[in-house]
């Protein structure tokens, strides 16, 4: 009786104390490859170019991210359903092989595995289709080949190779028992033996200089009708998805009952403005079909057109003018962002079993219809907040998020207990006046793409913000001079006296500003990191900041040997010492990294500098953090990324100094984390530190001071790329995590952290172990629990005094965690072990 109760108790302790909630309203990341479950139209997936796979089971009322430990998704991350609710397929990123690979789930999407029959796992796969009525049969494609498996991926065969360097764009597959039709840019391929052999059907009617880029088919009451959308020969290739829409369309064709001849049917479609690149339809409705892409009238915006009569006529059904038939969120006609922000259809799908249900995604948003396009509803915000169709979208309105937040966030700033500001990429920022429950763009004076960092005047109610027209600074796409300083670069330091409601210009540098920091020893000094590989870049100092509109700016000397114009973090210590991390610089072909990144210190107000870098920091240093529990401020933590193609390789690590940079020691093992972005220390527990990574998720240690801290994956945080952990300045029992691609989430601090337990008192030997492990605890435990890397309980045992022996013969090889539980149900210790 006790063991099931304990399992229930422990699972609910984790759920209550480590549940991360997505609260933002998103809008800055491209959404792709939506897919609807034919058995349940309320369930669907949509992927993001930044790696998240979003999943809803209630028609968009709420989204969850599929844990990155199961799926790291992307542009081509479409999920294919089958009539077995447990079996579904997708393309999953493989970090080891650096490629997208087909994967199967046998438990309705909880766990995903690569398939043994896949050939060339190091080669990117682009499209995957499952036979809904035969869950064993799947088809996937590489750039130039198509593969078929009839045994759930245990084996596969290459059945087709592309005719040209354009590769094979596999835009649709129609399964009809053992007869399969595949729509490709080389024509319609057909198999009559379940995919064992494939030939080109060589249908006629489409001109030789046109290529199929969209294919669908529907069958009902003896009629099977094919639809094909074509583009110009030079505009259609394997990886062309949505973005290259301009002028691509050439024709729409239909064919009834495989007659062998395509018939052009384009009444109502104007190829000079209706730039469709997608075609989709239900499998059971041969008369209804949709195309999607972009239109240019009266401005560039998403396009959806529909035929309900087999292609004889086409009509616009996504009517953006005055939001004619669209119930909007904050994006809409005359809204905070107009439809041009979404730009064009980046993903498009029709429910295979319901021609009336359609989803269209764009550069940040998703809209859906359940009535064949008569009306559309936004699917990225709480439905209770949406605005009525047929009228302009109001500006500055507050909305509640639902978890679909494909956005990059740099900082969550707390003005007070109720007023917050999210520093965002692309959508500049969002503001909350109700403790983060809802968010709006109800502020003025910030015209640029990104808000990077906010800080406050030491004594006055004046706040300063670093802003930029260039996003993603010091990410992998912004390391060379051209990317950090394009022709359209701009950047300003702003100030606000009303908690972010209104911003004004304090300093206009016309080049990106990534950081601002006050001087605790001088209330009238502010420093700013200005990025530019010319005379404007470097550290700037403002005086008279109590009168910010009239502040005086001075460009300070840069450290000798530092990368030109690449300042990053600024930390000013209590004694006036300036501590800075200096950012990455690569050649414009992104192959050579210059050794001018690192840690620099000035004790004379920025006049002269000392290089305090460890050699591993010389190429790509990110955040530097001062330990808040060290009253002398001698302890710093430095986060380092690995580069590529030379001496910057394999340097990613977390470093610590306890003597202001004279000596450094690693806090993570070599190659344990490829790229460490930032760290944050729990304000209530000096031994608890959170660590963020580029693609390995959020990690925590509870023995920070140890020479070799033990790091544990925070399995309740689902996303691969957390950026920074922000503890609420007015409620330090709540922690917030900003991310590169999943917006912002918060969680209550776990009880096992808040109780300030000493996690160094658990010991496991042998470790690694293969048969029996010995677990020692002080104080003694009542129960020992073993969890897998996902945090799922594998087994448990009543503890025996101070040492418990656990049999691990039957565990699969891999990484596990041991938790020791007191008789009161509190966590005493957590430690990782490896089964070899």
């Amino acid at each position: 009786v006790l063991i099931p109760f304990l399992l229930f108790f422990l699972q609910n302790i984790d759920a209550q104390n480590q549940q991360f909630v997505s609260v933002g309203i998103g809008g800055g990341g491209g959404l792709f490859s939506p897919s609807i479950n034919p058995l349940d139209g309320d369930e669907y997936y949509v992927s993001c170019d930044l790696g998240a796979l979003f999943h809803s089971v209630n028609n968009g009322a709420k989204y969850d991210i599929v844990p990155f430990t199961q799926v790291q998704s992307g542009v081509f991350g479409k999920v294919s359903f089958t009539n077995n609710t447990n079996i579904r397929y997708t393309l999953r990123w493989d970090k080891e092989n650096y490629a997208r690979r087909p994967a199967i789930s046998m438990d309705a999407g909880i766990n995903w595995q690569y398939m043994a029959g896949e050939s060339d796992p190091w080669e990117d796969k682009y499209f995957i289709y499952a036979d809904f009525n035969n869950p064993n049969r799947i088809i996937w494609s590489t750039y130039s080949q198509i593969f078929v498996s009839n045994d759930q991926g245990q084996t596969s065969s290459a059945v087709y190779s592309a005719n040209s360097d354009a590769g094979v764009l596999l835009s649709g597959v129609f399964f009809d028992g053992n007869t399969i039709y595949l729509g490709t840019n080389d024509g319609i391929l057909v198999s009559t033996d379940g995919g064992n052999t494939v030939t080109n059907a060589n249908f006629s009617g489409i001109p030789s200089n046109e290529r199929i880029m969209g294919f669908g088919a529907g069958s009902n009451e003896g009629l099977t009708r094919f639809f094909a959308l074509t583009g110009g020969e030079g505009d259609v290739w394997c990886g062309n998805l949505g973005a290259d829409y301009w002028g691509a369309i050439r024709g729409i064709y239909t064919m009834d009952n495989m007659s062998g001849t395509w018939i052009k049917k384009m009444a109502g479609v104007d190829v000079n403005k209706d730039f469709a690149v997608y075609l989709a339809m239900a499998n059971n409705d041969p008369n209804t079909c949709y195309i999607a892409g972009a239109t240019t009238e009266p401005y560039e915006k998403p396009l959806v057109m529909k035929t309900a009569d087999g292609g004889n006529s086409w009509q616009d059904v996504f009517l953006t003018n005055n939001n004619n038939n669209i119930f909007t969120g904050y994006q809409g006609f005359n809204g905070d962002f107009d439809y041009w922000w979404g730009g064009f259809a980046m993903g498009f799908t029709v429910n295979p079993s319901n021609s009336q249900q359609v989803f269209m995604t764009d550069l940040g948003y998703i809209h859906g219809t359940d009535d064949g396009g008569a009306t559309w509803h936004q699917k990225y915000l709480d439905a209770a907040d949406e605005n009525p169709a047929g009228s302009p979208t109001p500006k500055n309105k507050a909305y509640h998020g639902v978890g679909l937040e494909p956005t990059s966030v740099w900082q969550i700033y707390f003005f007070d207990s109720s007023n917050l500001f999210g520093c965002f990429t692309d959508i500049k920022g969002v503001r909350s006046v109700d403790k983060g429950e809802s968010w709006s763009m109800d502020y003025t004076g910030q015209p640029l793409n990104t808000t990077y960092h906010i800080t406050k005047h030491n004594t006055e109610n004046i706040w300063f913000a670093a802003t930029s027209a260039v996003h993603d600074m010091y990410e992998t796409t912004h390391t060379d001079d051209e990317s950090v300083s394009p022709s359209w670069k701009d950047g300003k330091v702003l100030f606000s006296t009303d908690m972010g409601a209104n911003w004004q210009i304090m300093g206009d540098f016309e080049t990106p500003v990534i950081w601002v920091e006050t001087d605790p020893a001088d209330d009238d000094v502010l420093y700013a990191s200005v990025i530019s590989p010319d005379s404007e870049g470097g550290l700037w100092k403002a005086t008279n900041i109590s009168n910010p509109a009239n502040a005086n700016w001075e460009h300070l000397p840069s450290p000798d040997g530092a990368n030109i114009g690449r300042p990053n973090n600024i930390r000013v210590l209590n004694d006036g010492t300036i501590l800075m991390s200096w950012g990455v610089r690569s050649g414009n072909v992104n192959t050579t990294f210059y050794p001018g990144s690192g840690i620099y210190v000035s004790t004379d107000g920025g006049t002269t500098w000392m290089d305090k870098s460890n050699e591993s920091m010389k190429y790509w240093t990110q955040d530097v953090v001062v330990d808040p529990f060290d009253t002398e401020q001698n302890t710093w933590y430095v986060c380092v990324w690995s580069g590529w193609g030379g001496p910057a390789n394999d340097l990613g690590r977390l470093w610590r100094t306890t003597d202001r940079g004279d000596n450094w020691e690693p806090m993570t093992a070599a190659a344990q984390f490829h790229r460490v972005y930032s760290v944050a220390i729990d304000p209530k527990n000096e031994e608890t530190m959170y660590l963020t990574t580029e693609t390995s998720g959020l990690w925590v240690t509870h023995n920070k001071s140890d020479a070799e801290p033990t790091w544990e994956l925070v399995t309740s945080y689902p996303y691969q790329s957390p950026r920074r952990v922000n503890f609420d300045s007015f409620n330090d029992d709540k922690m917030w995590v900003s991310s590169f691609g999943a917006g912002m989430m918060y969680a209550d601090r776990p009880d096992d952290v808040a109780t300030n337990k000493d996690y160094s008192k658990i010991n496991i030997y042998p470790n690694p172990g293969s048969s029996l492990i010995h677990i020692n605890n002080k104080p003694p435990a009542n129960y020992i629990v073993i969890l897998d890397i996902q945090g799922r309980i594998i087994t448990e045992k009543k503890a025996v005094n101070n040492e418990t022996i656990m049999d691990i013969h039957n565990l699969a090889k891999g990484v596990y965690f041991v938790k020791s539980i007191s008789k009161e149900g509190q966590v005493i210790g957590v430690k990782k072990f490896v089964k070899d």
Side-chain angles (χ1 to χ4, degrees):
V1 176
L2 181 59
I3 290 177
F5 173 77
L6 179 65
L7 287 172
F8 173 82
F9 177 74
L10 290 174
Q11 288 168 343
N12 279 275
I13 284 289
D14 285 344
Q16 292 167 8
N17 295 329
Q18 298 189 12
Q19 181 65 44
F20 280 88
V21 179
S22 174
V23 293
I25 56 177
L31 295 173
F32 297 82
S33 301
S35 58
I36 306 169
N37 185 350
L39 296 175
D40 180 2
D42 285 342
E43 182 184 15
Y44 61 88
Y45 292 89
V46 61
S47 63
C48 177
D49 55 352
L50 294 174
L53 181 61
F54 295 98
H55 181 212
S56 178
V57 295
N58 47 23
N59 203 3
K62 182 180 181 298
Y63 295 83
D64 293 309
I65 294 176
V66 176
F68 79 97
T69 50
Q70 293 300 320
V71 176
Q72 292 187 13
S73 193
V75 172
F76 297 93
K78 188 182 182 80
V79 174
S80 291
F81 293 92
T82 71
N83 63 6
N84 183 327
T85 57
N86 286 320
I87 299 177
R88 52 195 63 177
Y89 300 88
T90 193
L91 295 180
R92 174 190 185 200
W93 181 253
D94 180 1
K95 290 195 296 184
E96 298 299 322
N97 286 289
Y98 209 72
R100 291 181 300 270
R101 299 177 56 194
I104 182 174
S105 174
M106 304 291 288
D107 54 10
I110 298 173
N111 296 286
W112 296 83
Q113 299 85 32
Y114 298 117
M115 292 178 279
E118 175 200 7
S119 64
D120 301 333
W122 53 86
E123 187 171 4
D124 269 337
K125 288 22 178 224
Y126 284 82
F127 301 97
I128 188 166
Y129 296 89
D131 186 341
F132 178 77
N133 293 310
N134 182 355
N136 295 325
R137 180 176 294 152
I138 45 175
I139 296 174
W140 65 77
S141 63
T142 64
Y143 188 87
S144 58
Q145 288 186 300
I146 296 174
F147 291 79
V148 175
S149 172
N150 280 295
D151 55 9
Q152 296 182 1
Q154 296 306 301
T155 62
S156 67
S157 301
V159 296
Y160 183 78
S161 296
N163 287 339
S164 70
D165 292 340
V168 54
L169 174 60
L170 184 58
S171 59
V173 177
F174 180 63
F175 295 94
D176 185 14
N178 282 326
T179 301
I180 307 170
Y181 299 90
L182 301 90
T184 78
N185 50 322
D186 287 342
I188 302 300
L189 311 179
V190 61
S191 172
T192 58
D193 56 8
N196 292 318
T197 59
V198 172
T199 59
N200 198 312
N202 291 316
F203 295 142
S204 62
I206 295 178
S208 60
N209 63 347
E210 296 182 21
R211 297 290 181 267
I212 294 174
M213 59 181 176
F215 171 70
S219 184
N220 193 25
E221 297 183 352
L223 171 63
T224 298
R225 177 173 288 138
F226 290 171
F227 279 81
L229 170 66
T230 67
E233 182 175 11
D235 295 320
V236 181
W237 66 92
C238 173
N240 184 7
L241 277 185
D244 295 297
Y245 59 82
W246 194 278
I249 186 173
R250 290 293 184 272
I252 305 171
Y253 299 83
T254 68
M255 181 192 302
D256 289 353
N257 292 327
M258 286 70 74
S259 66
T261 303
W262 291 104
I263 299 173
K264 194 170 188 177
K265 292 189 175 182
M266 296 189 65
V269 179
D270 184 349
V271 296
N272 295 309
K273 68 176 183 65
D274 298 329
F275 298 141
V277 289
Y278 290 104
L279 181 148
M281 61 189 300
N283 293 333
N284 58 1
D285 185 348
N287 294 312
T288 304
C289 184
Y290 302 83
I291 57 174
T295 184
T296 60
E297 292 185 0
Y299 52 85
E300 288 182 67
K301 57 187 177 180
L303 165 79
V304 181
M305 301 187 74
K306 173 188 178 182
T307 180
D309 56 13
N312 292 322
S313 62
W314 294 85
Q315 297 82 33
D316 285 297
V317 292
F318 192 72
L319 306 177
T320 58
N321 188 40
N322 204 41
N323 301 317
N324 184 290
N325 66 338
I326 306 169
F327 294 79
T328 68
Y330 65 80
Q331 184 210 34
F333 182 79
N334 283 354
D336 291 306
F337 290 101
D338 214 317
Y339 289 104
W340 59 264
W341 180 259
F344 46 89
M346 298 300 292
F348 190 68
T349 195
V350 176
N351 186 333
S353 64
N354 178 4
S355 62
Q356 304 305 295
Q357 187 180 18
V358 184
F359 286 129
M360 184 269 294
T361 65
D362 57 27
L363 289 170
Y365 309 101
I366 180 169
H367 291 83
T369 177
D370 293 320
D371 54 17
T375 58
W376 294 79
H377 289 263
Q378 62 77 30
K379 297 288 183 179
Y380 57 95
L381 299 170
D382 192 324
D385 296 335
E386 70 181 9
N387 304 296
S391 60
T393 300
K395 289 181 171 66
N396 302 328
K397 177 181 170 180
Y399 299 89
H400 295 80
V402 290
L404 187 69
E405 197 179 2
T407 320
S408 180
V409 185
W410 297 87
Q411 181 192 23
I412 300 141
Y413 186 83
F414 307 90
F415 295 102
D416 63 18
S417 61
S418 296
N419 289 273
L420 287 70
F421 200 94
C423 298
F424 273 59
T425 283
D426 290 338
I427 62 173
K428 303 181 293 188
V430 293
R431 179 171 170 254
S432 175
V433 297
D434 57 7
K435 301 183 178 182
E437 292 296 319
S438 65
W439 299 83
S440 75
M441 296 170 190
D442 185 16
Y443 59 88
T444 66
Q446 207 302 59
L448 302 181
N449 177 282
T450 301
T451 305
Y452 279 108
H453 189 69
I454 296 175
T455 196
K456 184 185 179 297
H457 190 284
N458 294 344
T459 58
E460 305 291 332
N461 284 330
I462 305 172
W463 292 268
F464 308 98
T467 69
S468 169
V470 185
H471 64 189
D472 298 348
M473 203 60 68
Y474 302 145
E475 295 287 341
T476 55
T477 54
H478 285 72
T479 61
D480 60 88
D481 290 351
E482 184 177 348
S483 65
V484 302
S485 186
S487 60
W488 42 267
K489 68 179 181 178
D490 198 358
K492 309 176 193 301
V493 173
L494 306 178
F495 74 93
S496 172
T497 58
D498 54 9
M499 294 188 288
N502 296 279
W503 296 94
Q504 301 177 62
I505 296 175
M506 177 178 173
D508 190 349
F509 295 92
E510 299 182 350
T511 193
V513 185
I514 195 173
W515 201 271
V516 284
E517 193 81 0
T518 57
D519 184 343
D522 190 333
D523 293 341
D524 234 17
V525 170
L526 178 80
Y527 295 96
S529 290
V530 178
I531 300 173
S532 184
D534 55 30
S535 61
E536 295 300 308
L539 180 64
W540 286 74
K541 177 182 179 180
T543 55
N544 191 34
I545 66 171
S546 297
N547 183 12
N550 296 303
N552 302 306
W553 288 95
E554 176 189 2
H555 193 182
L556 299 178
S558 294
D560 290 340
N563 286 328
I564 298 172
R566 293 294 203 279
N568 195 354
N569 291 177
I570 309 167
R571 311 289 186 182
V572 186
L573 307 186
N574 294 334
D575 61 5
T577 297
I578 305 173
L579 165 64
M580 292 189 67
S581 63
W582 217 260
V584 62
R585 185 187 180 213
S586 71
N588 283 335
V589 292
N590 281 338
T591 56
T592 302
F593 287 81
Y594 297 100
S597 188
I599 298 299
Y600 295 89
V601 173
S602 175
T603 58
D604 57 9
T607 301
T608 61
W609 295 88
M610 295 173 284
D611 185 349
K612 292 290 187 176
S613 308
N614 176 287
E615 285 301 310
S616 296
M617 304 170 192
K618 288 292 189 178
Y619 295 96
W620 206 337
T621 297
Q622 295 282 14
D623 280 5
V624 56
V625 175
V626 179
D627 194 319
F629 288 95
D630 181 353
T631 58
E632 300 299 318
Q633 297 188 301
N634 295 324
T635 304
W636 310 336
Y637 306 96
V638 174
C639 306
V640 178
W641 278 24
S642 298
W644 57 83
N649 285 6
D650 303 322
L651 298 180
R653 214 161 184 180
L654 175 64
W655 293 87
R656 168 175 54 200
T657 179
T658 57
D659 55 13
R660 295 202 172 197
D662 289 339
N663 296 280
W664 295 94
E665 57 182 351
M667 293 182 67
T668 58
Q672 183 176 6
F673 302 114
H674 185 59
R675 290 177 177 149
V676 179
Y677 192 91
S678 190
V679 293
I681 299 167
D682 188 323
K684 287 189 174 180
N685 187 343
E686 62 180 299
E687 284 302 305
T688 294
M689 172 186 279
Y690 290 89
L691 176 149
T692 65
T693 68
E694 185 203 27
T695 58
S696 300
L698 177 66
W699 293 72
V700 65
T701 182
H702 302 296
N703 57 339
K704 167 179 70 70
S705 298
D706 282 12
E708 297 180 0
T710 301
W711 295 97
E712 175 186 359
L713 179 67
V714 181
T715 55
S716 56
Y717 183 80
Y719 187 58
Q720 65 190 31
S721 301
R723 179 175 267 134
R724 291 187 177 110
V725 173
N726 304 259
F727 284 93
D728 188 330
S729 307
F730 300 89
N731 178 8
D732 55 15
D733 276 336
K734 184 174 288 188
M735 57 180 287
W736 295 69
V737 181
S738 61
S739 71
F740 185 65
M744 50 188 172
M745 303 182 193
Y746 76 83
D748 292 332
R749 295 168 68 256
D751 284 347
D752 57 353
V753 174
T755 51
N756 207 18
K757 297 296 182 183
D758 185 350
Y759 281 75
S760 64
K761 298 303 183 183
I762 186 171
N763 186 44
I764 303 172
Y765 69 93
N767 190 7
S770 58
S771 56
L772 300 175
I773 58 172
H774 298 250
I775 302 161
N776 292 323
N777 275 281
K778 292 181 180 180
N782 192 41
Y783 266 86
I784 301 295
V785 182
I786 294 180
L787 306 96
D788 67 10
I789 193 70
Q790 306 303 321
R792 294 170 297 208
I793 297 173
I794 303 301
T795 186
E796 80 293 315
K797 184 177 182 180
K798 187 161 180 66
V800 179
N801 297 322
N802 288 334
E803 179 172 286
T804 304
I805 300 174
M806 301 284 282
D807 187 342
I808 60 171
H809 280 97
N810 295 325
L811 295 186
K813 292 182 179 180
V815 177
Y816 296 86
F817 295 94
V818 165
K819 273 190 179 183
S820 55
I821 312 296
S822 73
K823 65 181 180 179
E824 293 83 13
Q826 298 295 325
V827 177
I828 300 171
V830 178
K831 196 148 192 174
K832 179 174 69 176
F833 77 92
V834 177
K835 165 67 186 298
D836 62 8

